[in-house]
Amino acid sequence: MIRPIATTREMTGMPTGRLAVWWLIASEIVIFGGVLGSYLMHRIGHKEWAAASEHTNTWAGAFNTLVLLTSSLSAVLAHNAALRKDGKRAAKLLWATIGGGGIFLVVKSIEWTTEIQHGYTITANNFWSFYYTAAGLHGLHVIAGMIVMMFVAADAAKGKELQRVENAGLYWHFVDLVWIFLFPLLYIAK
Amino acid sequence: MSDTAHAPASNDAAHGHDAHGHPDSFYIRIWGILLVMLVISVAGPELAHRVVSNETVAFIIVLFTAFGIAIVKAYMVVKNFMHIGVEKKYVGYLLVTMLILMGLMLGGVGPDVLRHEGHRWVNQAAKDYKLPGDAEHGAPHEAHGEPASPVKH
């Protein structure tokens, strides 16, 4: 049975789903841009933040950057597979991306557990409040992306809704982008 | 408003960015470059802190290797993974508009955040704060077992 679907918007000349994802990313720029910019200003304006930031685990942050960059690779390869109408390969690569998100969260939870056990809680000082808020907000986006990709992968494996592979990938690349800036701010600038 | 068509959903994959047509090896090469930049962004600041004694030089090295490379990495992801180059111009305008709005917001609050006092206010805790090294004449910062000074400002 053929069902009606919205394909290309007349005004913008692009598929509805992709347009929606770009609008989502645009709104996220303001959210994460505000968070990152505020952090940067506080970091420059308050020298005590530099002392507090010395206790973040650079190696955990670097490993998670490696994981997210790799998951972005699998997401774009999934998109490539979807363009070739190879739904099964696209689904496998999306599951690899979801796995990357899972590894990221596991490392993050180990890192947070260690920090909390050492007394660096969200109420320890303003740096740690910001650290948990920014990284936590990012972590929620990772979880959201993983959930979305599970549904997209399930359809893609059946060769359905392959255009969604690209849309999910766009969102995932943005999540990766946010981490690319969070990493030097929270882990390297000490 | 929307152009609604009757078509199998799977055919809609053709509406993706098939104009770029890169083979998988292209993306793997980009990923390799991103990993090399990641190594530099970690090694650069580490070396700057351990080897370079001049604080200004160390700061510049950190600035370029950590934040400079982050900007290049982000550009590579946007260009090669998100295919912004073959996307409609409208999307670029949308994203730049958001960046400008963000800049306006930060420009508006920046003066208050960066300063510790103004005409009718003072952030006394921030003004009084001294780094552990300043207060104890070079005493080392507390070990990872103790939280940093929980100063509020």
Side-chain angles (χ1 to χ4, degrees):
Chain A
M1 178 187 163
I2 296 173
R3 63 189 176 84
I5 56 165
T7 53
T8 302
R9 310 294 291 190
E10 286 176 352
M11 292 295 288
T12 57
M14 72 171 76
T16 310
R18 202 167 85 223
L19 175 64
V21 174
W22 279 119
W23 270 104
L24 174 70
I25 290 172
S27 65
E28 298 277 12
I29 285 176
V30 184
I31 295 170
F32 279 108
V35 171
L36 295 173
S38 302
Y39 174 82
L40 199 59
M41 285 191 294
H42 279 89
R43 182 74 170 70
I44 293 168
H46 301 272
K47 56 186 176 182
E48 62 271 26
W49 284 47
S53 71
E54 286 186 6
H55 303 282
T56 56
N57 188 332
T58 305
W59 299 109
F63 180 75
N64 263 347
T65 309
L66 166 70
V67 168
L68 276 193
L69 287 174
T70 308
S71 68
S72 256
L73 171 68
S74 56
V76 78
L77 292 180
H79 172 208
N80 234 11
L83 288 177
R84 295 193 300 264
K85 309 272 169 58
D86 187 348
K88 287 195 187 304
R89 179 172 163 76
K92 280 180 191 167
L93 286 162
L94 281 181
W95 279 108
T97 308
I98 294 165
I103 294 170
F104 178 90
L105 292 174
V106 168
V107 172
K108 201 91 203 100
S109 55
I110 293 169
E111 191 190 344
W112 279 20
T113 304
T114 310
E115 283 158 355
I116 290 167
Q117 281 173 346
H118 285 98
Y120 301 110
T121 63
I122 195 167
T123 55
N125 58 35
N126 282 347
F127 169 80
W128 289 103
S129 299
F130 225 107
Y131 169 83
Y132 286 109
T133 303
L137 188 62
H138 178 263
L140 287 176
H141 281 74
V142 170
I143 293 169
M146 288 167 68
I147 293 169
V148 167
M149 271 190 277
M150 283 177 195
F151 287 101
V152 175
D155 275 345
K158 298 172 198 159
K160 288 163 55 183
E161 310 284 9
L162 289 180
Q163 80 284 358
R164 290 181 182 168
V165 176
E166 179 187 22
N167 298 341
L170 278 176
Y171 172 83
W172 193 259
H173 298 316
F174 177 76
V175 171
D176 184 19
L177 274 182
V178 171
W179 185 258
I180 283 174
F181 287 106
L182 273 179
F183 172 56
L185 282 174
L186 298 177
Y187 295 89
I188 292 185
K190 298 187 172 182
Chain B
M1 183 171 170
S2 67
D3 177 16
T4 304
H6 292 269
S10 58
N11 286 350
D12 209 26
H15 288 278
H17 299 138
D18 42 2
H20 53 79
H22 293 305
D24 285 358
S25 59
F26 170 82
Y27 297 110
I28 294 169
R29 198 162 62 243
I30 296 295
W31 172 74
I33 295 169
L34 288 169
L35 291 197
V36 170
M37 286 197 285
L38 168 63
V39 171
I40 296 170
S41 68
V42 176
E46 282 288 323
L47 286 173
H49 288 309
R50 292 178 190 202
V51 178
V52 181
S53 54
N54 185 314
E55 278 189 20
T56 309
V57 175
F59 175 75
I60 291 169
I61 291 173
V62 171
L63 204 63
F64 275 96
T65 54
F67 295 101
I69 283 184
I71 291 168
V72 177
K73 272 196 289 190
Y75 171 76
M76 288 189 72
V77 169
V78 172
K79 181 174 184 287
N80 299 298
F81 287 179
M82 299 173 87
H83 308 114
I84 196 78
V86 294
E87 189 54 275
K88 299 282 180 194
K89 281 195 173 9
Y90 162 82
V91 171
Y93 298 146
L94 174 67
L95 301 184
V96 169
T97 303
M98 291 302 163
L99 286 171
I100 291 170
L101 288 174
M102 184 194 83
L104 279 174
M105 190 276 283
L106 295 176
V109 299
D112 279 349
V113 175
L114 291 169
R115 294 176 64 189
H116 291 166
E117 60 184 324
H119 288 304
R120 295 183 181 179
W121 63 274
V122 59
N123 185 343
Q124 200 59 47
K127 281 185 74 178
D128 293 344
Y129 182 81
K130 287 187 172 25
L131 290 171
D134 297 339
E136 297 163 25
H137 303 289
H141 292 170
E142 55 269 69
H144 200 82
E146 293 294 322
S149 181
V151 170
K152 309 275 186 188
H153 54 261

